Every structure is written in structure tokens, then in C-alpha cells.
Amino acid sequence: MNTREGIDWTRAQALAARERQAFADAMPKSRELSARAARHLLFGVPLHWMNDWSTPFSLYVDAARGASFTDVDGHRYADFCLGDTGAMFGHSPPPVARALAAQAERGMTAMLPGEDAAWVGEELARRFGLPYWQFAMTASDANRFALRWARAATGRRKIVIFNGCYHGTVDDVFVDLVDGRAVQRDSLIGQVHDLLDATRVIEFNDLAALEDAVKDGDVACVLAEPAMTNIGMVLPDPDYWRHAQALLRRHGTLLAIDETHTISCGPGGYTKAYGLEPDLFVLGKPVGGGFPCAVYGFSAGLAERAQRAKREAPPGHSGIGTTLTANLLALSAIRATLAEVMTDAAYARMFALAERIEHGLRDAIARHGLAWCVTRVGARTEFQFMPTPPRNGSEAGHQLDAELEQIVHLYLLNRGVLITPFHNMILVCPETSLNDVEKLIAAFDACLGELKS
């Protein structure tokens, strides 16, 4: 696949050099802080992912509020990354900030529940349709714990995942299809166990492959996003999930749905919007309005089997949870987010803005005659370097072009617009303004004009 068709690559490289120099010239304080941090922080940043941006050194944030942030050099940015979904409802939503401040005065963690726990459990059951819930600090942990419960409840060892998936730092899922063969992902450094022993990987939207993967009756669960978002967006075929769920039920295989990104589809996520009936439901970073926490839910039948498995196991630590899990601060943040932030009105505004972005990007791509497409899932939009949306992880992976992505991202950043550094994801929040949307579209259009041959 030629992702650079219609692009003058010599001009693109010159543009990249120009934009890197422009960034460096405008960021003396960020440059100085990067140099200081490099003396004591591994890779020069507190989390090595913070090196994945297109910038020649780290951009340092001074303050973030609503749909924008300012850097330490005083520049303002319209933020369409929003903490890679962690701040999907805006930076520091006032109801969440107030709840955290109030709870901090009353206690942060006790390894005992507070009143918020009962309210949150009721609201999660009402909103998402699964009657029983547990908590975690991150979606990575929630997915990891969900797999443990699924295996414990079914007595089966194997899981099935989709090629190109990402469910946080859960080692079990770092298996790819390469030329039709399952291989452990090369980037998973330090892992000594053979993941292929218990993980099967198939392509998304392939019902025959799904049937073949679970037909032996040894698969505990399928872990999936309802629409793939981490290798570039891949939407399910019409009726794919209806047929897939029926197939899994026939073979006694559980379905675990990870909605950490697809919660962009509405207050009940993709699951409620499209009528899915998972056995396990995971929601991470957005559920606490940016505060570190996650939730995962169980169907009634699975909850009964999971509790029985725990009661029948020998006494001792299970490893399903951590000391700070479901702390008082986290529950206060989740309650405020569910009650006052993740509202129907908020989603209606986000959908309208995302639709404008979708059409604006498509118009710009068409105007410049590029063979790119645009995909949207609720409040989440993405442009992809191929003429039609991908149907599986392999197709989505083939259209990735890190060099081209970084040129576009840095061009936008230097014009006060931030999008996610991983592929080309654009997210809006309730406080995103139409002016910021138009600023994004105009900068994108101008970038294509400079890239085009």
C-alpha cells in the first residue's frame, strides 16, 4: 500500500525540518525542562510513552482546563488528544474537581468502602446493563483482572484476541498475526513466558476465523473492543457482533468488551448504543474524569460462577486487585463523572462537533485529491492513509506511516492544535468550541496543501 500517493516526499521532508526548527525556536522553557529531566528520568520523561510525540524535545504543560491547555512558554492549544481519552470529558471537569477536593478533606484511602460505592454500583448497573461490578486503578488492570475471573469461572485457559488490538499493558494480548501466523509481538521486551500457549489471535470481522478459534471448547473468553481503535479505527461489519455473540454462546465462550475508547459512542458506550450483551465490560480512564481509576462489570450468570470459584479456592491472596483499588478518592471521582459529566447533553454536543470534523477533513482530503479516508465512532474521528476504511487489524496496520503522521501532527501542533500521537485520532469534549474545530480543519487543509505534489 502506497500511503504517500499524491505526496511530494522531498517537500514533506523539508516541511518536517522547518516545523521542527519552528518548534525548537518557540519553546525555550520546554527545552530547558527537557534537559533537566534527562539527567534523572529514564528516557528523559516520567513515562517513556511521552517520547512518542512528533516534537524534537518534550512539550511541557503549565495548565489544562476544559478543551485546551497552555504550555510553560505561554502558548495555548486546542486539545483534540485529551490525554489519549483520559480527559475525554475535558481537563479537570468542575464537578470532578469539586468532588475530589471535598473527599480529600474527608479521607483518601482506607481499604474500606464509603457511601459513594453503593451509588456508583447502582448507576453502573443501570447505565451499562451488567448487574455486578468491581474496580481497578487502570483499564490495563481491569482487563487483566477480567481475564483472570473469566478463566477462573470457566476452568478454561485460552483466550482469543483480534490482530492489532491493544488492551493496555496486559501481556496476554501482545500476539500478532504475521503472514497468517501467530507471533509474540516484538516490542514486548522482558517477557519470558510463551504467550502463544494460551492466546489465539484472529482478524476482526472474520466470523469463520472466530468459529475456528473457539470450536474446541477450550477458550475462556474473547477480549475485544467493539470497534477497534488502537491500530487506527476499524468498524465492525453490519451484524458482525450479533452473529459473533450467538457463536460464542454456542461454544460456551465468554465475551469481554473493552469500552475504554468506544465510550465515545454515548453514555452507555457502544454496548448500549448497539445492543451488545457482553459477559464482562471494561471501562478505564474516562470514567473518573481523568482521575486514575477503572471499572469492570459482570453479567449475573458470570458473577455467580466467579464468586463460586473464589469461595471454592484455597484461602490466600488472589492477586485480583491492589491495595489502592476502589479508594475513596476514586469512587468520588467516578460518582461525579457519572452523575454530572457523562450526560446525554454532553454527548449530543460532542457528536455534533465530531461530525463537523468528519466532514471538514473529508472535504480537505477530496480538495487535495488524496486517497485517504475518514472514520468516526461517536465523538472520536480519525483520518487514515487509505481510500476506504480498513476491515481488520492487518489492513489498518498497513496504512500506518509514522513519518507522515509525525509531519502532520507537528504542523498542527505548531499552529496551536494537538491531536493524539498514536496514528491520527481526534477527540472532542463537551467544552470543545466550534472555533477550535474550524481551526483544526483549516490547519489540516493547509498542511495537505504543503504536502501535495
Side-chain angles (χ1 to χ4, degrees):
M1 179 183 298
N2 182 11
T3 60
R4 300 175 183 176
E5 182 179 352
I7 300 294
D8 184 328
W9 195 243
T10 300
R11 289 182 66 187
Q13 290 175 305
L15 178 62
R18 185 191 83 191
E19 295 299 318
R20 282 194 293 270
Q21 188 60 53
F23 177 90
D25 291 343
M27 307 293 175
K29 290 185 179 179
S30 278
R31 185 203 294 270
E32 192 229 339
L33 286 168
S34 291
R36 282 177 56 193
R39 294 196 287 268
H40 298 289
L41 301 181
L42 197 65
F43 302 105
V45 285
L47 170 65
H48 70 87
W49 294 357
M50 293 178 181
N51 271 334
D52 289 345
W53 297 90
S54 54
T55 56
F57 50 84
S58 292
L59 179 68
Y60 276 74
V61 174
D62 177 57
R65 181 64 58 85
S68 67
F69 71 92
T70 54
D71 67 26
V72 293
D73 288 288
H75 307 107
R76 177 197 177 271
Y77 301 85
D79 190 358
F80 294 93
C81 171
L82 296 168
D84 190 24
T85 311
M88 185 177 127
F89 301 105
H91 295 288
S92 226
V96 178
R98 289 193 298 268
L100 286 170
Q103 184 58 54
E105 292 288 336
R106 301 199 307 271
M108 298 185 189
T109 187
M111 213 175 73
L112 290 167
E115 183 181 342
D116 288 338
W119 187 96
V120 168
E122 291 165 352
E123 174 60 14
L124 291 172
R126 182 200 68 81
R127 183 180 289 243
F128 298 114
L130 288 86
Y132 293 96
W133 293 82
Q134 287 282 272
F135 298 83
M137 295 294 291
T138 66
S140 293
D141 275 347
N143 280 314
R144 188 177 295 112
F145 301 158
L147 292 180
R148 289 277 299 279
W149 284 118
R151 284 167 164 152
T154 62
R156 299 176 177 185
R157 296 182 62 251
K158 297 189 183 297
I159 64 165
V160 169
I161 51 140
F162 292 110
N163 186 38
C165 73
Y166 179 76
H167 297 283
T169 56
V170 181
D171 286 2
D172 305 63
V173 307
F174 285 93
V175 177
D176 295 325
L177 277 177
V178 177
D179 298 325
R181 185 172 61 90
V183 297
Q184 190 163 302
R185 193 170 297 176
D186 290 338
S187 58
L188 184 62
I189 61 173
Q191 173 56 265
V192 298
H193 302 293
D194 181 8
L195 302 183
L196 303 182
D197 178 54
T199 301
R200 292 178 184 150
V201 56
I202 61 173
E203 293 288 10
F204 196 59
N205 279 322
D206 189 337
L207 286 168
L210 180 60
E211 174 106 50
D212 188 59
V214 302
K215 67 182 180 183
D216 292 339
D218 57 354
V219 174
C221 81
V222 172
L223 174 60
E225 293 183 287
M228 297 183 73
T229 67
N230 280 289
I231 195 168
M233 286 204 285
V234 181
L235 304 184
D237 289 342
D239 283 341
Y240 172 75
W241 279 117
R242 180 170 66 85
H243 293 303
Q245 289 182 116
L247 187 160
L248 296 179
R249 282 192 289 269
R250 277 201 313 275
H251 292 282
T253 299
L254 303 173
L255 175 61
I257 287 291
D258 180 356
E259 290 252 26
T260 298
H261 279 182
T262 53
I263 195 66
S264 63
C265 289
Y270 192 103
T271 292
K272 186 61 71 75
Y274 292 93
L276 273 62
E277 297 179 345
D279 303 284
L280 286 152
F281 178 104
V282 170
L283 175 56
K285 43 197 166 185
V287 75
F291 189 83
C293 53
V295 300
Y296 60 109
F298 300 70
S299 67
L302 178 57
E304 181 181 353
R305 295 164 71 186
Q307 290 178 100
R308 185 188 316 125
K310 174 61 177 169
R311 292 187 183 112
E312 293 176 354
H317 295 298
S318 67
I320 304 181
T322 59
T323 306
L324 289 177
T325 295
N327 63 74
L328 298 170
L329 272 179
L331 268 295
S332 71
I334 296 172
R335 179 171 183 170
T337 302
L338 294 175
E340 301 181 65
V341 179
M342 289 176 62
T343 64
D344 290 343
Y347 275 100
R349 174 168 172 74
M350 292 158 70
F351 291 167
L353 293 168
E355 186 176 9
R356 171 65 189 123
I357 292 173
E358 177 186 11
H359 292 306
L361 298 184
R362 280 189 179 144
D363 289 347
I365 290 166
R367 184 161 45 253
H368 295 285
L370 294 173
W372 299 359
C373 66
V374 179
T375 309
R376 181 166 72 89
V377 175
R380 183 183 303 274
T381 310
E382 184 165 289
F383 59 93
Q384 295 168 297
F385 304 136
M386 58 191 302
T388 57
R391 288 190 62 247
N392 58 46
S394 289
E395 291 181 11
H398 289 152
Q399 64 85 38
L400 296 178
D401 186 329
E403 285 186 273
L404 181 55
E405 288 168 13
Q406 293 214 339
I407 293 170
V408 177
H409 297 182
L410 184 55
Y411 188 98
L412 296 177
L413 179 67
N414 281 341
R415 284 146 189 85
V417 176
L418 186 80
I419 69 173
T420 306
F422 319 114
H423 41 91
N424 302 305
M425 195 276 289
I426 297 162
L427 189 63
V428 295
C429 74
E431 296 184 64
T432 301
S433 72
L434 186 57
N435 284 341
D436 283 341
V437 166
E438 297 302 335
K439 182 179 181 179
L440 162 66
I441 293 169
F444 179 76
D445 182 68
C447 182
L448 298 194
E450 298 214 43
L451 287 171
K452 192 170 182 301
S453 58

